[in-house]
């Protein structure tokens, strides 16, 4: 009986190690924060993708997204450290019509209806083509 238990444990450890090794090469979005059990992840574009403006951002949030006036959450999308220059998306997906060309970090932040941060954010590294040069590109602001 003890031998069988040891073999089972060894198999589980090896399987877990194999699963960890398999997932290490893929680029992924990085989520941070703890907004009361809520989370948001970037589904599209994939981390490391090359996108051309305009492109669509698709997110997976654990809370329902909707128009600001509905009282539901929404997301703000911005590039690099330019948090004040964001595009608001009020559904699981939305268009990015302005973005800076080049390699950038795209931030997706879950927001309360009043635009305050809900405490969770995801980031994804992208290469953007067909965008505008400079860091003042995102927008449009959608209110």
């Amino acid at each position: 009986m003890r031998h069988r238990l040891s073999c089972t444990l060894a198999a589980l450890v090896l399987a877990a190690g194999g699963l960890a090794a398999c997932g290490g090469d893929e680029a992924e979005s990085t989520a941070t924060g703890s907004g009361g059990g809520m989370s948001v992840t970037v589904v599209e574009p994939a981390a490391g993708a090359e996108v051309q403006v305009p492109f669509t951002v698709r997110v997976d949030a654990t809370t329902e997204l909707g128009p600001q006036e509905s009282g539901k959450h929404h997301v703000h999308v911005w590039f690099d450290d330019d948090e004040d220059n964001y595009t608001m998306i009020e559904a699981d997906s939305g268009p990015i019509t302005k973005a800076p060309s080049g390699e950038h970090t795209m931030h997706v932040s879950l927001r309360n209806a009043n635009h305050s941060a809900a405490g969770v954010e995801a980031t994804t590294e992208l290469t953007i083509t067909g965008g505008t040069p400079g860091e003042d590109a995102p927008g449009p602001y959608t209110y």
Side-chain angles (χ1 to χ4, degrees), residues 26-52:
E26 292 184 24
E28 297 180 3
S29 65
T30 304
T32 59
S34 58
M38 293 183 288
S39 68
V40 64
T41 56
V42 178
V43 176
E44 212 175 282
E50 185 173 314
V51 296
Q52 183 170 350

PDB file of all heavy atoms in Angstrom, residues 26-52:
ATOM      1  N   GLU A  26       4.930  30.299 -23.932  1.00  0.00           N
ATOM      2  CA  GLU A  26       3.926  31.131 -24.563  1.00  0.00           C
ATOM      3  C   GLU A  26       3.864  32.508 -23.897  1.00  0.00           C
ATOM      4  O   GLU A  26       3.952  32.624 -22.692  1.00  0.00           O
ATOM      5  CB  GLU A  26       2.562  30.462 -24.467  1.00  0.00           C
ATOM      6  CG  GLU A  26       2.465  29.196 -25.298  1.00  0.00           C
ATOM      7  CD  GLU A  26       1.077  28.608 -25.262  1.00  0.00           C
ATOM      8  OE1 GLU A  26       0.112  29.358 -25.006  1.00  0.00           O
ATOM      9  OE2 GLU A  26       0.952  27.416 -25.496  1.00  0.00           O
ATOM     10  N   ALA A  27       3.699  33.542 -24.705  1.00  0.00           N
ATOM     11  CA  ALA A  27       3.515  34.889 -24.169  1.00  0.00           C
ATOM     12  C   ALA A  27       2.085  35.005 -23.680  1.00  0.00           C
ATOM     13  O   ALA A  27       1.162  34.512 -24.311  1.00  0.00           O
ATOM     14  CB  ALA A  27       3.789  35.918 -25.256  1.00  0.00           C
ATOM     15  N   GLU A  28       1.899  35.626 -22.533  1.00  0.00           N
ATOM     16  CA  GLU A  28       0.570  35.763 -21.969  1.00  0.00           C
ATOM     17  C   GLU A  28       0.372  37.175 -21.467  1.00  0.00           C
ATOM     18  O   GLU A  28       1.320  37.899 -21.216  1.00  0.00           O
ATOM     19  CB  GLU A  28       0.381  34.784 -20.804  1.00  0.00           C
ATOM     20  CG  GLU A  28       0.467  33.326 -21.208  1.00  0.00           C
ATOM     21  CD  GLU A  28       0.283  32.397 -20.023  1.00  0.00           C
ATOM     22  OE1 GLU A  28       0.044  32.881 -18.906  1.00  0.00           O
ATOM     23  OE2 GLU A  28       0.375  31.185 -20.237  1.00  0.00           O
ATOM     24  N   SER A  29      -0.902  37.547 -21.282  1.00  0.00           N
ATOM     25  CA  SER A  29      -1.172  38.817 -20.633  1.00  0.00           C
ATOM     26  C   SER A  29      -0.943  38.628 -19.140  1.00  0.00           C
ATOM     27  O   SER A  29      -1.082  37.538 -18.618  1.00  0.00           O
ATOM     28  CB  SER A  29      -2.600  39.288 -20.916  1.00  0.00           C
ATOM     29  OG  SER A  29      -3.544  38.412 -20.350  1.00  0.00           O
ATOM     30  N   THR A  30      -0.568  39.685 -18.474  1.00  0.00           N
ATOM     31  CA  THR A  30      -0.285  39.632 -17.049  1.00  0.00           C
ATOM     32  C   THR A  30      -1.366  40.398 -16.310  1.00  0.00           C
ATOM     33  O   THR A  30      -1.609  41.560 -16.603  1.00  0.00           O
ATOM     34  CB  THR A  30       1.092  40.273 -16.758  1.00  0.00           C
ATOM     35  OG1 THR A  30       2.070  39.600 -17.544  1.00  0.00           O
ATOM     36  CG2 THR A  30       1.442  40.161 -15.290  1.00  0.00           C
ATOM     37  N   ALA A  31      -2.022  39.738 -15.370  1.00  0.00           N
ATOM     38  CA  ALA A  31      -3.069  40.377 -14.585  1.00  0.00           C
ATOM     39  C   ALA A  31      -2.535  40.711 -13.198  1.00  0.00           C
ATOM     40  O   ALA A  31      -1.769  39.951 -12.632  1.00  0.00           O
ATOM     41  CB  ALA A  31      -4.282  39.451 -14.478  1.00  0.00           C
ATOM     42  N   THR A  32      -2.946  41.861 -12.662  1.00  0.00           N
ATOM     43  CA  THR A  32      -2.534  42.269 -11.329  1.00  0.00           C
ATOM     44  C   THR A  32      -3.735  42.795 -10.562  1.00  0.00           C
ATOM     45  O   THR A  32      -4.731  43.175 -11.147  1.00  0.00           O
ATOM     46  CB  THR A  32      -1.464  43.377 -11.377  1.00  0.00           C
ATOM     47  OG1 THR A  32      -2.003  44.508 -12.073  1.00  0.00           O
ATOM     48  CG2 THR A  32      -0.208  42.904 -12.064  1.00  0.00           C
ATOM     49  N   GLY A  33      -3.600  42.812  -9.256  1.00  0.00           N
ATOM     50  CA  GLY A  33      -4.610  43.410  -8.398  1.00  0.00           C
ATOM     51  C   GLY A  33      -5.582  42.410  -7.840  1.00  0.00           C
ATOM     52  O   GLY A  33      -5.599  41.243  -8.216  1.00  0.00           O
ATOM     53  N   SER A  34      -6.382  42.872  -6.904  1.00  0.00           N
ATOM     54  CA  SER A  34      -7.407  42.035  -6.300  1.00  0.00           C
ATOM     55  C   SER A  34      -8.626  42.895  -6.024  1.00  0.00           C
ATOM     56  O   SER A  34      -8.788  43.432  -4.949  1.00  0.00           O
ATOM     57  CB  SER A  34      -6.885  41.400  -5.009  1.00  0.00           C
ATOM     58  OG  SER A  34      -6.479  42.405  -4.101  1.00  0.00           O
ATOM     59  N   GLY A  35      -9.454  43.050  -7.003  1.00  0.00           N
ATOM     60  CA  GLY A  35     -10.628  43.892  -6.894  1.00  0.00           C
ATOM     61  C   GLY A  35     -11.825  43.138  -6.354  1.00  0.00           C
ATOM     62  O   GLY A  35     -12.779  42.904  -7.071  1.00  0.00           O
ATOM     63  N   GLY A  36     -11.772  42.736  -5.082  1.00  0.00           N
ATOM     64  CA  GLY A  36     -12.908  42.055  -4.472  1.00  0.00           C
ATOM     65  C   GLY A  36     -13.282  40.773  -5.172  1.00  0.00           C
ATOM     66  O   GLY A  36     -14.454  40.486  -5.342  1.00  0.00           O
ATOM     67  N   GLY A  37     -12.297  40.000  -5.596  1.00  0.00           N
ATOM     68  CA  GLY A  37     -12.554  38.750  -6.294  1.00  0.00           C
ATOM     69  C   GLY A  37     -12.789  38.925  -7.783  1.00  0.00           C
ATOM     70  O   GLY A  37     -13.011  37.952  -8.485  1.00  0.00           O
ATOM     71  N   MET A  38     -12.754  40.137  -8.288  1.00  0.00           N
ATOM     72  CA  MET A  38     -12.947  40.374  -9.717  1.00  0.00           C
ATOM     73  C   MET A  38     -11.610  40.222 -10.440  1.00  0.00           C
ATOM     74  O   MET A  38     -10.548  40.396  -9.848  1.00  0.00           O
ATOM     75  CB  MET A  38     -13.506  41.776  -9.967  1.00  0.00           C
ATOM     76  CG  MET A  38     -14.905  41.973  -9.454  1.00  0.00           C
ATOM     77  SD  MET A  38     -15.573  43.605  -9.843  1.00  0.00           S
ATOM     78  CE  MET A  38     -14.628  44.627  -8.739  1.00  0.00           C
ATOM     79  N   SER A  39     -11.696  39.925 -11.724  1.00  0.00           N
ATOM     80  CA  SER A  39     -10.487  39.860 -12.539  1.00  0.00           C
ATOM     81  C   SER A  39     -10.817  40.273 -13.963  1.00  0.00           C
ATOM     82  O   SER A  39     -11.976  40.269 -14.372  1.00  0.00           O
ATOM     83  CB  SER A  39      -9.889  38.447 -12.526  1.00  0.00           C
ATOM     84  OG  SER A  39     -10.745  37.547 -13.195  1.00  0.00           O
ATOM     85  N   VAL A  40      -9.765  40.642 -14.692  1.00  0.00           N
ATOM     86  CA  VAL A  40      -9.895  40.960 -16.108  1.00  0.00           C
ATOM     87  C   VAL A  40      -8.654  40.421 -16.805  1.00  0.00           C
ATOM     88  O   VAL A  40      -7.544  40.523 -16.274  1.00  0.00           O
ATOM     89  CB  VAL A  40     -10.077  42.480 -16.360  1.00  0.00           C
ATOM     90  CG1 VAL A  40      -8.866  43.270 -15.926  1.00  0.00           C
ATOM     91  CG2 VAL A  40     -10.421  42.759 -17.815  1.00  0.00           C
ATOM     92  N   THR A  41      -8.835  39.796 -17.952  1.00  0.00           N
ATOM     93  CA  THR A  41      -7.723  39.313 -18.759  1.00  0.00           C
ATOM     94  C   THR A  41      -7.934  39.756 -20.199  1.00  0.00           C
ATOM     95  O   THR A  41      -9.066  39.952 -20.642  1.00  0.00           O
ATOM     96  CB  THR A  41      -7.588  37.777 -18.719  1.00  0.00           C
ATOM     97  OG1 THR A  41      -8.822  37.195 -19.124  1.00  0.00           O
ATOM     98  CG2 THR A  41      -7.229  37.283 -17.336  1.00  0.00           C
ATOM     99  N   VAL A  42      -6.834  39.911 -20.905  1.00  0.00           N
ATOM    100  CA  VAL A  42      -6.882  40.261 -22.319  1.00  0.00           C
ATOM    101  C   VAL A  42      -6.965  38.960 -23.112  1.00  0.00           C
ATOM    102  O   VAL A  42      -6.081  38.118 -23.012  1.00  0.00           O
ATOM    103  CB  VAL A  42      -5.639  41.070 -22.739  1.00  0.00           C
ATOM    104  CG1 VAL A  42      -5.689  41.372 -24.230  1.00  0.00           C
ATOM    105  CG2 VAL A  42      -5.532  42.350 -21.921  1.00  0.00           C
ATOM    106  N   VAL A  43      -8.031  38.801 -23.877  1.00  0.00           N
ATOM    107  CA  VAL A  43      -8.210  37.622 -24.713  1.00  0.00           C
ATOM    108  C   VAL A  43      -7.590  37.864 -26.086  1.00  0.00           C
ATOM    109  O   VAL A  43      -6.942  37.000 -26.660  1.00  0.00           O
ATOM    110  CB  VAL A  43      -9.711  37.275 -24.846  1.00  0.00           C
ATOM    111  CG1 VAL A  43      -9.928  36.110 -25.797  1.00  0.00           C
ATOM    112  CG2 VAL A  43     -10.314  36.986 -23.475  1.00  0.00           C
ATOM    113  N   GLU A  44      -7.790  39.085 -26.592  1.00  0.00           N
ATOM    114  CA  GLU A  44      -7.318  39.460 -27.920  1.00  0.00           C
ATOM    115  C   GLU A  44      -6.932  40.927 -27.908  1.00  0.00           C
ATOM    116  O   GLU A  44      -7.658  41.721 -27.290  1.00  0.00           O
ATOM    117  CB  GLU A  44      -8.482  39.266 -28.899  1.00  0.00           C
ATOM    118  CG  GLU A  44      -8.104  38.875 -30.288  1.00  0.00           C
ATOM    119  CD  GLU A  44      -9.386  38.604 -31.079  1.00  0.00           C
ATOM    120  OE1 GLU A  44      -9.976  37.551 -30.928  1.00  0.00           O
ATOM    121  OE2 GLU A  44      -9.776  39.503 -31.841  1.00  0.00           O
ATOM    122  N   PRO A  45      -5.857  41.325 -28.479  1.00  0.00           N
ATOM    123  CA  PRO A  45      -4.861  40.536 -29.196  1.00  0.00           C
ATOM    124  C   PRO A  45      -3.982  39.740 -28.228  1.00  0.00           C
ATOM    125  O   PRO A  45      -3.840  40.120 -27.061  1.00  0.00           O
ATOM    126  CB  PRO A  45      -4.037  41.586 -29.942  1.00  0.00           C
ATOM    127  CG  PRO A  45      -4.227  42.853 -29.185  1.00  0.00           C
ATOM    128  CD  PRO A  45      -5.565  42.766 -28.519  1.00  0.00           C
ATOM    129  N   ALA A  46      -3.435  38.672 -28.740  1.00  0.00           N
ATOM    130  CA  ALA A  46      -2.563  37.820 -27.937  1.00  0.00           C
ATOM    131  C   ALA A  46      -1.293  38.572 -27.570  1.00  0.00           C
ATOM    132  O   ALA A  46      -0.842  39.449 -28.317  1.00  0.00           O
ATOM    133  CB  ALA A  46      -2.209  36.558 -28.720  1.00  0.00           C
ATOM    134  N   ALA A  47      -0.740  38.235 -26.433  1.00  0.00           N
ATOM    135  CA  ALA A  47       0.516  38.857 -26.005  1.00  0.00           C
ATOM    136  C   ALA A  47       1.595  38.608 -27.058  1.00  0.00           C
ATOM    137  O   ALA A  47       1.708  37.515 -27.599  1.00  0.00           O
ATOM    138  CB  ALA A  47       0.947  38.289 -24.666  1.00  0.00           C
ATOM    139  N   GLY A  48       2.335  39.651 -27.370  1.00  0.00           N
ATOM    140  CA  GLY A  48       3.400  39.548 -28.358  1.00  0.00           C
ATOM    141  C   GLY A  48       2.927  39.690 -29.787  1.00  0.00           C
ATOM    142  O   GLY A  48       3.723  39.629 -30.722  1.00  0.00           O
ATOM    143  N   ALA A  49       1.638  39.913 -29.984  1.00  0.00           N
ATOM    144  CA  ALA A  49       1.076  40.020 -31.337  1.00  0.00           C
ATOM    145  C   ALA A  49       1.510  41.304 -32.016  1.00  0.00           C
ATOM    146  O   ALA A  49       1.829  42.300 -31.373  1.00  0.00           O
ATOM    147  CB  ALA A  49      -0.451  39.958 -31.288  1.00  0.00           C
ATOM    148  N   GLU A  50       1.489  41.268 -33.337  1.00  0.00           N
ATOM    149  CA  GLU A  50       1.653  42.478 -34.135  1.00  0.00           C
ATOM    150  C   GLU A  50       0.274  42.831 -34.663  1.00  0.00           C
ATOM    151  O   GLU A  50      -0.371  42.012 -35.308  1.00  0.00           O
ATOM    152  CB  GLU A  50       2.621  42.255 -35.292  1.00  0.00           C
ATOM    153  CG  GLU A  50       2.883  43.533 -36.060  1.00  0.00           C
ATOM    154  CD  GLU A  50       3.983  43.382 -37.108  1.00  0.00           C
ATOM    155  OE1 GLU A  50       5.034  42.818 -36.778  1.00  0.00           O
ATOM    156  OE2 GLU A  50       3.754  43.831 -38.247  1.00  0.00           O
ATOM    157  N   VAL A  51      -0.190  44.019 -34.338  1.00  0.00           N
ATOM    158  CA  VAL A  51      -1.528  44.453 -34.740  1.00  0.00           C
ATOM    159  C   VAL A  51      -1.422  45.711 -35.573  1.00  0.00           C
ATOM    160  O   VAL A  51      -0.458  46.457 -35.479  1.00  0.00           O
ATOM    161  CB  VAL A  51      -2.437  44.699 -33.519  1.00  0.00           C
ATOM    162  CG1 VAL A  51      -2.676  43.418 -32.750  1.00  0.00           C
ATOM    163  CG2 VAL A  51      -1.862  45.771 -32.612  1.00  0.00           C
ATOM    164  N   GLN A  52      -2.428  45.926 -36.400  1.00  0.00           N
ATOM    165  CA  GLN A  52      -2.480  47.131 -37.216  1.00  0.00           C
ATOM    166  C   GLN A  52      -3.710  47.930 -36.818  1.00  0.00           C
ATOM    167  O   GLN A  52      -4.803  47.379 -36.651  1.00  0.00           O
ATOM    168  CB  GLN A  52      -2.540  46.774 -38.701  1.00  0.00           C
ATOM    169  CG  GLN A  52      -2.523  48.002 -39.583  1.00  0.00           C
ATOM    170  CD  GLN A  52      -2.330  47.662 -41.050  1.00  0.00           C
ATOM    171  OE1 GLN A  52      -2.028  46.541 -41.408  1.00  0.00           O
ATOM    172  NE2 GLN A  52      -2.500  48.654 -41.889  1.00  0.00           N
TER     173      GLN A  52
END
